[in-house]
Amino acid sequence: MPKLPIGLWVEMAVGWAQVNLDTLFDFITLIISALVTGIEKIFLAFHPLIIIAVVFVLFWFIANRRIAVGTAIGLYLIYNMQLWKPSIETLALVLAAAALALLLGIPLGILTARSNLAHKIIMPLLDFMQTMPAFVYLIPAVLFFGLGQVPGLIATVVFAMPPTIRLTGLGIRQVPVQLVEASDAFGSTEWQKLIKVQIPLALPTIMAGVNQCIMLSLSMVVIAAMIGAGGLGNEVLTGISRLDIAKGFEGGLAIVLMAIILDRVTQSISEKHKVKI
Amino acid sequence: MSKIVVKDLVKIFGDHPEKALKMLQEGYSKEEILKKTRQTVGIYNINFSVNEGEVFVLMGLSGSGKSTLLRCINRLIEPTSGTITIDGEDITRAGPEVIREIRRKKVSMVFQRFALFPHRTVLDNVAYGLEVHGVPTVQRREKAAQIIETVGLKGWEYSMPDQLSGGMQQRVGLARALCNNPDILLMDEAFSALDPLIRKSMQDELISLQNSLNKTIVFVTHDLDEALKIGDRIALMNNGTIVQIGTAEEILTRPANDYVEKFVEDVDRTKVLTAEGVMKPPDPVIFLKDGPHVALRQMKEHGISSIFVVTRDLRLVGIVLAEDALRAVKEQREDLKDIIIEGVPKVSIDTPVIDIIPVLAETRLPVAVTRDDNKLVGILVKGSVLAGMVRKGENIA
Ligand SMILES: Nc1ncnc2c1ncn2[C@@H]1O[C@H](COP(=O)(O)OP(=O)(O)OP(=O)(O)O)[C@@H](O)[C@H]1O
Ligand SMILES: [Mg+2]
């Protein structure tokens, strides 16, 4: 039986895109690196202790006391391990990736909830995206965007978007029919219904999607260090390649700390928005 | 004048209603159509009209198509064929914009399980209709607060719906529907989810609200007692179509077929047909200690021409007529004693309606309903009792 040249086809498609969509990729690169370096610059413009203080106060209000204190301790530990700069690089990448994933994922999620056709097309794609090993995304990303932060971020967005789409769609479909009907019965436009009823009621589920998106971004960002995305992933990678346990462990610990901080703070925000249906 | 006219309305659920519609016209039954085409006939052959200011009740067992029919009137469900005209305008072919306009201005809905928005305060729930209509915040909240007061929920404006009891939630539902001042109210089993006592008081309240608002109401229920109580006319539905339309009395006394008869048999006639079932609450009344001034003011305020006098513990003393009170005021007398008519007609609370009618026929005055201890518990007025059970509390004339 002859082997189907599936791999070859994909290679050809990628090759075609590389040649013909060159300007598009350049444009995307420009925007993304501006975004990431922008975020980095903001955080690096101040002394770490100032940032820690600001974050402490901010979390005190938007989350709670416990989380604010825990975050301050965690960040101080990172600063103390002299991993502040790579941590900020990672954070910038995570925030940028999550922002893009949400920007694309939430509207797509809404679309799947509102159109059965969109649902039928998008869901299998999501299954595909989620089961494909994360490393595989790195290959086309590198081919299109070269090495560095940008391909790392693109791969991260692709990897982190599916749960956002799924949970947004789920959240909106879960809004009780009678409330949707009530909204219609009073003459809402589709947009009013979405903004005034469906999204507010789906918010806890959408926020769970945001949380997942951020966590997945973080996990992917480490992998993305393999193609030169830098940050904490890089610390871990050098630790591995030199069999330097101390370096590897410290890098790993910093990632865990960031993960816990981001997880708790997004969760507590979504708790606050919960309404009983 | 007819506010709503429904002609040959059909709703078929499914992707391919054409074939089913054809079979329906050829006289096949719902079951045959379902078997052959996999399409469900929701309602068919529906013809009726609702007059301005009328309370029109759709009644029938579960699955008979009441909700489907009701939802066709504001096009929450798209009818398959036939027409619905509101104020002479055919809304079955109206585009989405026109429909939105109608829903915002003309037709509101009250839902069985309230369907309040859980993330909005009572005030913002009630203001929702005005909000989507683009009325500025201050104005719509002002209007909403007024309506909230009308339904007796003043002070609850900033509560969330889940802090309210069922009865209160449905008041919010009613207020939300009234807030954009629609001509037509559609009520789908609006009181079915409430427990019996609350339910009865909501029915009474709807009746008294209706007396002042004079809306056109289409009210769905599967409860005959409720239908008899609040409906001017009743349409009885069975298996997707209307089998009889008539007043409560017509339905009770001349059931169109076996189905209606069966349905009607279940009514607890003794309950419906005693004084308790048809009386109005004893309000207003005056006390023995009050003077002719008070009597006159109360009568003016309520637009009535006679008023019952009771003792402090609500035992019936007699009745005062407006002309007598007026005379007493002119002659500057301060005591009621001389003008009270004592031997007023009265019946006890469990008197069957059949025995009440002759009493009413003999007097110009309202009839007092008392308990054994002579406490005044209700008032009977001619109009309401003669109509059988239709309690459209007219004023004491
Ligand atoms: N969306 C739908 N799809 C298919 N069939 C439907 C749909 N909605 C209603 N039906 C069918 O139409 C018929 C009438 O339903 P409807 O809900 O109008 O009854 P109802 O009189 O309001 O009953 P209930 O007292 O239970 O509310 C039923 O046979 C029901 O199965
Ligand atoms: Mg129903």
Side-chain angles (χ1 to χ4, degrees):
Chain A
M1 192 180 71
K3 175 183 178 296
L4 283 176
I6 294 177
L8 191 70
W9 290 339
V10 173
E11 209 179 301
M12 276 163 59
V14 169
W16 178 87
Q18 243 180 318
V19 176
N20 294 287
L21 301 179
D22 200 35
T23 21
L24 179 66
F25 294 144
D26 283 350
F27 181 67
I28 295 175
T29 307
L30 202 72
I31 292 186
I32 289 177
S33 30
L35 184 64
V36 177
T37 40
I39 298 176
E40 265 179 37
K41 274 201 184 121
I42 293 172
F43 279 100
L44 293 175
F46 300 96
H47 190 275
L49 290 178
I50 294 178
I51 301 271
I52 293 174
V54 170
V55 168
F56 177 75
V57 174
L58 187 68
F59 283 13
W60 186 287
F61 289 108
I62 64 170
N64 61 44
R65 214 162 46 192
R66 211 166 40 82
I67 291 175
V69 173
T71 301
I73 294 173
L75 289 180
Y76 183 78
L77 205 58
I78 289 174
Y79 169 57
N80 183 265
M81 291 189 292
Q82 296 180 341
L83 287 174
W84 187 258
K85 187 153 183 296
S87 295
I88 291 299
E89 281 170 22
T90 294
L91 182 69
L93 218 55
V94 168
L95 291 184
L100 283 178
L102 294 176
L103 212 65
L104 294 170
I106 290 178
L108 280 174
I110 292 171
L111 189 67
T112 61
R114 298 175 60 83
S115 141
N116 282 327
L117 180 69
H119 187 76
K120 273 185 204 147
I121 295 173
I122 292 176
M123 283 306 144
L125 276 176
L126 294 185
D127 293 335
F128 181 88
M129 279 161 77
Q130 282 188 300
T131 37
M132 185 64 92
F135 296 91
V136 178
Y137 295 128
L138 295 179
I139 306 169
V142 168
L143 290 177
F144 293 144
F145 299 100
L147 290 175
Q149 280 181 330
V150 176
L153 187 135
I154 302 268
T156 306
V157 169
V158 173
F159 182 67
M161 204 168 44
T164 314
I165 299 178
R166 269 186 214 284
L167 286 167
T168 303
L170 180 72
I172 290 191
R173 276 177 194 267
Q174 266 175 351
V175 174
V177 264
Q178 49 156 348
L179 296 182
V180 176
E181 197 178 40
S183 166
D184 280 331
F186 285 97
S188 312
T189 59
E190 289 299 305
W191 178 249
Q192 286 171 328
K193 183 166 70 180
L194 190 66
I195 295 297
K196 292 178 194 293
V197 177
Q198 291 177 307
I199 291 185
L201 291 175
L203 207 59
T205 318
I206 295 177
M207 283 306 293
V210 171
N211 173 279
Q212 290 235 333
C213 173
I214 292 178
M215 301 318 287
L216 285 177
S217 300
L218 191 64
S219 69
M220 186 65 186
V221 152
V222 177
I223 297 170
M226 294 197 303
I227 53 170
L232 288 173
N234 212 24
E235 301 293 314
V236 177
L237 276 185
T238 28
I240 293 172
S241 58
R242 292 189 205 150
L243 293 178
D244 182 342
I245 294 179
K247 194 176 175 70
F249 184 80
E250 283 179 0
L253 182 63
I255 290 171
V256 170
L257 286 172
M258 286 200 27
I260 294 174
I261 292 170
L262 290 172
D263 180 55
R264 292 302 132 81
V265 79
T266 47
Q267 259 185 30
S268 104
I269 292 172
S270 72
E271 278 299 310
K272 282 191 177 173
H273 285 286
K274 210 152 258 173
V275 276
K276 247 194 270 152
I277 295 182
Chain B
M1 198 201 118
S2 288
K3 189 82 182 168
I4 308 170
V5 181
V6 177
K7 272 215 183 90
D8 300 326
L9 199 71
V10 177
K11 173 64 192 180
I12 292 163
F13 293 103
D15 310 331
H16 305 287
E18 307 82 18
K19 180 119 182 288
L21 192 60
K22 200 150 158 275
M23 286 180 68
L24 198 61
Q25 282 154 0
E26 287 161 6
Y28 286 89
S29 76
K30 258 182 83 160
E31 292 70 29
E32 285 170 303
I33 293 174
L34 179 64
K35 221 191 233 160
K36 285 213 178 108
T37 65
R38 310 253 109 241
Q39 314 288 300
T40 310
V41 178
I43 51 172
Y44 66 98
N45 198 11
I46 302 282
N47 286 285
F48 67 90
S49 59
V50 184
N51 298 322
E52 180 134 30
E54 186 178 29
V55 180
F56 189 84
V57 173
L58 296 173
M59 184 177 59
L61 299 175
S62 182
S64 56
K66 310 178 293 290
S67 299
T68 307
L69 175 50
L70 191 74
R71 278 163 174 69
C72 285
I73 298 176
N74 64 354
R75 292 261 306 266
L76 282 177
I77 291 180
E78 290 291 331
T80 308
S81 84
T83 58
I84 298 170
T85 25
I86 295 179
D87 287 332
E89 184 189 3
D90 181 1
I91 61 127
T92 25
R93 322 256 168 273
E97 240 134 79
V98 179
I99 290 300
R100 257 199 308 276
E101 222 29 41
I102 289 175
R103 288 174 182 171
R104 286 173 181 183
K105 291 191 181 148
K106 225 179 234 179
V107 185
S108 289
M109 196 158 184
V110 182
F111 297 84
Q112 175 171 12
R113 308 221 65 98
F114 323 136
L116 301 179
F117 303 120
H119 59 297
R120 292 174 157 245
T121 60
V122 166
L123 190 66
D124 284 334
N125 260 286
V126 174
Y128 186 84
L130 294 177
E131 181 177 332
V132 295
H133 197 186
V135 176
T137 316
V138 177
Q139 274 148 275
R140 68 175 188 247
R141 291 207 166 139
E142 205 171 290
K143 183 78 206 296
Q146 260 172 34
I147 302 278
I148 289 172
E149 193 173 348
T150 319
V151 300
L153 283 180
K154 195 172 165 60
W156 294 92
E157 290 85 351
Y158 297 98
S159 308
M160 297 312 267
D162 65 355
Q163 297 171 300
L164 271 53
S165 70
M168 289 159 86
Q169 289 191 32
Q170 195 56 301
R171 280 163 206 264
V172 179
L174 191 59
R176 180 174 64 177
L178 290 173
C179 195
N180 41 3
N181 197 21
D183 300 348
I184 299 172
L185 277 182
L186 306 178
M187 305 182 70
D188 191 357
E189 310 228 10
F191 305 145
S192 302
L194 305 174
D195 55 50
L197 231 70
I198 311 275
R199 184 168 180 174
K200 187 170 179 312
S201 82
M202 289 294 285
Q203 292 164 350
D204 293 340
E205 206 156 317
L206 180 69
I207 291 166
S208 78
L209 261 177
Q210 169 66 358
N211 278 333
S212 56
L213 297 175
N214 209 26
K215 305 283 180 196
T216 304
I217 301 179
V218 184
F219 192 102
V220 165
T221 180
H222 58 246
D223 175 7
L224 183 58
D225 284 341
E226 189 167 69
L228 295 175
K229 184 168 171 186
I230 63 178
D232 292 318
R233 280 188 306 148
I234 298 167
L236 205 71
M237 294 187 70
N238 181 29
N239 205 17
T241 197
I242 295 179
V243 287
Q244 184 173 7
I245 299 181
T247 62
E249 203 161 279
E250 282 164 4
I251 296 222
L252 283 179
T253 53
R254 293 191 295 279
N257 60 24
D258 291 355
Y259 174 78
V260 181
E261 201 161 345
K262 262 238 161 74
F263 208 103
V264 169
E265 260 171 22
D266 290 341
V267 198
D268 181 355
R269 276 175 194 261
T270 53
K271 187 176 106 203
V272 178
L273 293 176
T274 60
E276 185 173 24
V278 293
M279 71 195 187
K280 281 165 53 73
D283 176 48
V285 293
I286 52 169
F287 296 101
L288 201 47
K289 65 171 174 49
D290 295 329
H293 273 105
V294 178
L296 203 57
R297 207 189 53 229
Q298 284 283 345
M299 284 187 264
K300 259 196 194 140
E301 205 166 279
H302 292 86
I304 54 181
S305 60
S306 61
I307 191 162
F308 283 106
V309 185
V310 294
T311 60
R312 233 173 233 292
D313 52 359
L314 296 176
R315 281 170 219 274
L316 180 65
V317 179
I319 198 166
V320 169
L321 302 179
E323 60 247 42
D324 294 340
L326 194 62
R327 194 155 28 80
V329 169
K330 277 197 190 133
E331 294 170 4
Q332 303 194 334
R333 276 181 289 164
E334 308 220 321
D335 206 342
L336 274 178
K337 289 239 165 64
D338 322 335
I339 55 170
I340 295 180
I341 302 171
E342 280 184 358
V344 291
K346 62 178 185 181
V347 298
S348 76
I349 190 160
D350 45 14
T351 314
V353 169
I354 307 157
D355 299 339
I356 295 173
I357 294 173
V359 179
L360 267 173
E362 274 170 25
T363 175
R364 258 178 63 240
L365 301 173
V367 172
V369 182
T370 54
R371 282 203 318 236
D372 294 345
D373 54 3
N374 202 29
K375 271 195 183 148
L376 182 69
V377 288
I379 298 173
L380 293 170
V381 214
K382 250 177 211 161
S384 62
V385 179
L386 287 179
M389 307 91 226
V390 190
R391 273 195 51 189
K392 288 225 42 174
E394 282 104 301
N395 290 327
I396 302 172

